[in-house]
């Protein structure tokens, strides 16, 4: 408890680390961990994640925020967030019929492995209702098809509005429109299969099989208007061979998908992931 | 010594394993290892690799070949090869300026890790002459540019004709024409970088960096008329992060490239790789 | 359906593969896959796993077994098993308080990823009763401590007798006595953490942390009278660093443990694992 | 150029990061990268590695060192080192007959992958003389056996004295005595094979084979008086199976050994590795 997290981003320039750490020390905080990154030796963008211990943090936070904004963020033209690590992010999962990713996140959250609260699960199919509710998590069925997309998205936005800090597409097979992204007001993380090289379109595991690929993988990324082109948070692969048929590839792919997604979500809710143009910095 | 290798490929049908193994047993051979694969439970293509021990194999091979052709291959309409494992394949390396793949193959061959003979190294640059020759391997400089492609390929074909069983493109940066492939008379293995997802065109490491990829990899494949689209023999990846700049990615990629290429070449010269349509079976 | 599995083990000698495959072909079976291994070029032990398709297999199996015993197994002095792949093995899980391995096996079985039936879960603690029963699997609480070991083992043997083909120790923290092993009448698979190098005794993750290990792993093995020294079925590792504290290592270790255990159990129930002296052959 | 590296270690306490970064900023330096670690939330040991850019660093370094010692290191009771990244460490390799690790380090150094200078190679066998000298590196043969150990170590110490910053035991099969360690005056890095679980004594690959291990690995560590028990810098593994015989394990182990050793050496000469009691922090 009393663990705070400060994330900053600004144009790289001399004196940032000194200014931030001097501010925290003066405020009575002790730096517990500090990671930083600059995108270039000269003229790059600077990122820093600082965890600090400050007695009675919850009470001190508003004032600390105001003073940091004025004394440090303003002169350095910084973007920053200042949060209490004890405050769990509220997360909505969206899922279609394939359950492995959503179940893995619910399970890990219950085991205490993911510092977050699953606020709700939204699905365009009713299939997973019972299983989700056995975790004590609300399940909402919002039928979605090509024909009622606008209406379905409006219903989902209504459910999410003001209620969540993050949406995880845990194998949600409907398209997310740019209009939805503009209005949702929080980041979305998606998971999808990945191959070397990529196999575009339907049936990618079957195509990978035809080409004799030896590795199948998964990528977790932030959702942007360009489908499956958002900044990558995490990736992993598993080795396969000619002895695996397409259903084997799907099964092995499922294991990689849930491992990669759970790591990406964990890093996000621990405030480790900073977005920058098309990429991420994981501190 | 006296270790033979029999590779067969045919339409899958009952009795193949029995026919092959009964033939070998009757011929006085002892099966040392046997691996097989069928592409489908019904109506697939069948592949088998058998290693066997037969006293005085070199003397017995021509007769064994003739009898297998008549007694087994003909009735089952099999493709087959029958080789003496002691007979090393002769391999030509083609390389441009980047030396890590060619050096790794030369080094492993000298250490006895690759059962093959490097017959020659052909390069479109003179840079590696001295280093290659220190391994006791002939180095031939064949300048190749867009403008003299036909002439350069003719010169290379002249050098290879009848002299090699395999060509390895160990980071050879010139395009190989379909005309060359038709005339070369032996398989070619190529190595190239790979990513999840793929980044097409020039500067792939820089593009991967911009997207925040967490894994970079390499693919070894047979060369076909479709550039970089041939059947995959082997792949691997290495984990990277935001802290790696583009030169780091290139350096780490080089390590994966040489590991993947040396495994692919090893499996090929051990007669483990069977091609089938766009894929491979590695037995 | 109608998929049979034949496992054989005998002294290596010429003609085994031919005899087995000729027998199957004559019986009207089609070999679907065949894998074999010999422990030495001369005088080794030979192992073979053959999957075959035979119409109306369930009805044909008893007669096939009797004829194989007489015509092939007897002359070659073979051990063999002949099974119907459609017949799922009955598996008992034994677990203490830590649930990740048992839950993973129950979950994968329900998803159809593991071709087996979980016949019961036995625990020396009542904690997991509700969760196990939600999978429709009987849960039996058999309190076990140092003081009542003989009595507790007798109770467990009573539950298992005649009911199961395999016992999986899915993080069962009580010692298994040699007397129990002699009487249980089926194989046991255990999972435990593993490190390079090994850290013996209590608190291995803390010891690994003190030494700065960069990889933590898990080993699944058959249980023998020598504690944690039985033949290894599967192993894997995950990369760690100084930034991980001991609870992180435990959490990451749990992920490796369940992945390794589920693979080992899967291979066992698919009749892929042959034991030989202190080792295994996974075909 | 003009890139400096500051490593500090002290009792964790509030204000360290602020003091260090404020000092550097006041000195006109720009922090390029900063990584830190504390071994415990309260009362731990604190480590920090800072890379900074300072114009005309070589000329400024002596004064910077003196002022840092007085203004920061003294009040915080810090250990610290302050170096110019352009100043390559001088490294001696010690090797017996097995060449893969020494060759890999020489090769990577020539390719510019390792920012260091190989000052000499010392071997207790003459075998590698020619190959080492082809890299332009002095090779010194110091015969060493059980009988002349004291004399041989004296000769090696004479060669090293004042000439090197690091000794790498690149498969050097002679015992290093505590007396040697006391007098050598620089750190030693060793590489050795590693398994899960460990196999002690001679012939570890054969023992691993008998147990059916599925992973073989390598560990690079600092040498301490306890043989093979020093703080671990890096580890890695490769997957193996029953199809690999003991020579295969040795060959695959060699690949892991050179990969692990080259990473450990790289991190050491980049001043990334801090020792702390029995462990390391790699920043």
């Amino acid at each position: 408890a009393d663990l705070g997290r400060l994330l900053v981003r600004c144009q790289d320039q001399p004196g940032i680390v000194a200014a931030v750490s001097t501010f925290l020390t003066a405020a009575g905080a002790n730096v517990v961990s500090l990671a930083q990154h600059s995108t270039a030796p000269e003229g790059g963008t600077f990122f820093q994640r600082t965890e600090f211990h400050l007695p009675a943090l919850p009470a001190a936070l508003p004032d600390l925020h105001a003073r940091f904004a004025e004394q440090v963020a303003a002169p350095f033209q910084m973007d920053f967030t200042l949060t209490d690590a004890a405050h769990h992010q509220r997360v909505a999962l969206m899922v279609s019929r394939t359950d492995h990713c959503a179940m893995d996140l619910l399970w890990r959250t219950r085991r205490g492995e993911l510092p977050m609260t699953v606020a709700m699960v939204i699905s365009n199919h009713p299939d997973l209702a019972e299983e989700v509710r056995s975790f004590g998590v609300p399940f909402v069925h919002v039928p979605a098809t090509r024909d009622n997309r606008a209406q379905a998205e409006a219903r989902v936005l209504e459910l999410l509005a003001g209620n969540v800090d993050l949406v995880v597409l845990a194998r949600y097979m409907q398209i997310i429109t740019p209009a939805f992204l503009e209005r949702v007001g929080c980041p979305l993380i998606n998971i999808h299969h990945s191959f070397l090289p990529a196999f575009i379109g339907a049936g990618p595991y079957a195509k990978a099989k035809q080409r004799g690929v030896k590795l199948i993988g998964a990528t977790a990324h932030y959702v942007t208007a360009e489908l499956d082109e958002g900044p990558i948070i995490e990736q992993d692969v598993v080795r396969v061979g000619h002895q695996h048929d397409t259903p084997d590839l799907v099964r092995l792919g499922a294991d990689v998908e849930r491992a990669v997604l759970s790591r990406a979500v964990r890093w996000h809710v621990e405030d480790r992931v900073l977005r920058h143009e098309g990429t991420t910095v994981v501190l």
Side-chain angles (χ1 to χ4, degrees), chain A:
Chain A
D2 288 338
L3 187 71
R5 289 186 193 132
L6 173 63
L7 269 73
V8 308
R9 176 168 62 174
C10 61
Q11 188 72 16
D12 199 1
Q13 56 199 289
I16 308 171
V17 178
V20 171
S21 49
T22 301
F23 173 86
L24 288 172
T25 301
N30 187 22
V31 171
V32 171
S33 82
L34 186 160
Q36 52 89 267
H37 177 67
S38 181
T39 58
E42 304 264 325
T45 302
F46 175 87
F47 305 89
Q48 184 173 317
R49 178 185 188 264
T50 312
E51 283 190 322
F52 59 90
H53 185 262
L54 180 65
L57 177 71
L61 208 54
D63 179 57
L64 197 71
H65 193 283
R67 284 191 291 127
F68 187 82
E70 186 193 331
Q71 296 171 27
V72 185
F76 285 95
Q77 296 187 275
M78 268 175 195
D79 289 334
F80 79 100
T81 62
L82 183 56
T83 53
D84 182 343
H87 177 79
H88 282 194
Q89 290 198 24
R90 297 161 303 167
V91 179
L93 310 185
M94 294 181 71
V95 59
S96 294
R97 277 205 176 93
T98 309
D99 67 343
H100 60 273
C101 284
M103 286 302 116
D104 195 79
L105 292 171
L106 287 167
W107 195 18
R108 288 181 190 272
T109 303
R110 185 172 64 187
R111 282 171 58 83
E113 288 189 9
L114 288 170
M116 66 188 212
T117 302
V118 182
M120 68 188 79
V121 174
I122 297 170
S123 178
N124 56 330
H125 292 286
D127 311 34
L128 302 178
E130 192 183 350
E131 222 170 333
V132 168
R133 286 172 185 147
S134 80
F135 285 88
V137 170
F139 175 92
V140 188
H141 176 210
V142 180
T145 62
R146 280 189 198 184
D147 301 329
N148 76 341
R149 183 159 294 142
Q151 192 186 335
E153 289 201 339
R155 175 75 180 113
V156 172
L157 286 170
E158 212 174 83
L159 289 163
L160 300 175
N163 288 324
V164 302
D165 305 302
L166 174 70
V167 174
V168 178
L169 304 181
R171 302 279 296 162
Y172 182 69
M173 308 311 283
Q174 295 290 312
I175 283 174
I176 300 292
T177 66
F180 182 94
L181 289 177
E182 263 172 46
R183 295 172 56 201
V184 66
C186 73
L188 281 80
I189 293 177
N190 189 23
I191 181 75
H192 68 84
H193 46 71
S194 302
F195 304 90
L196 317 76
F199 297 97
I200 314 255
Y205 285 99
K207 284 175 190 158
K209 176 76 189 151
Q210 281 157 28
R211 183 75 195 285
V213 298
K214 309 306 181 201
L215 296 172
I216 58 174
T219 297
H221 64 94
Y222 288 113
V223 179
T224 59
E226 276 74 37
L227 183 70
D228 293 343
E229 292 287 323
I232 294 170
I233 307 169
E234 173 62 336
Q235 301 185 298
D236 212 342
V237 290
V238 65
R239 179 163 279 269
V240 297
H242 64 263
Q243 73 277 20
H244 296 103
D245 56 20
T246 304
D248 286 336
L249 301 191
V250 172
R251 173 176 58 80
L252 292 166
D255 272 2
V256 185
E257 284 171 12
R258 60 189 174 117
V260 166
L261 182 60
S262 74
R263 288 203 291 271
V265 169
R266 180 184 173 86
W267 296 340
H268 179 90
V269 297
E270 290 180 346
D271 296 321
R272 293 187 181 283
V273 193
L274 290 127
R275 291 170 66 163
H276 174 60
E277 295 169 1
T279 186
T280 62
V281 175
V282 182
L283 295 175

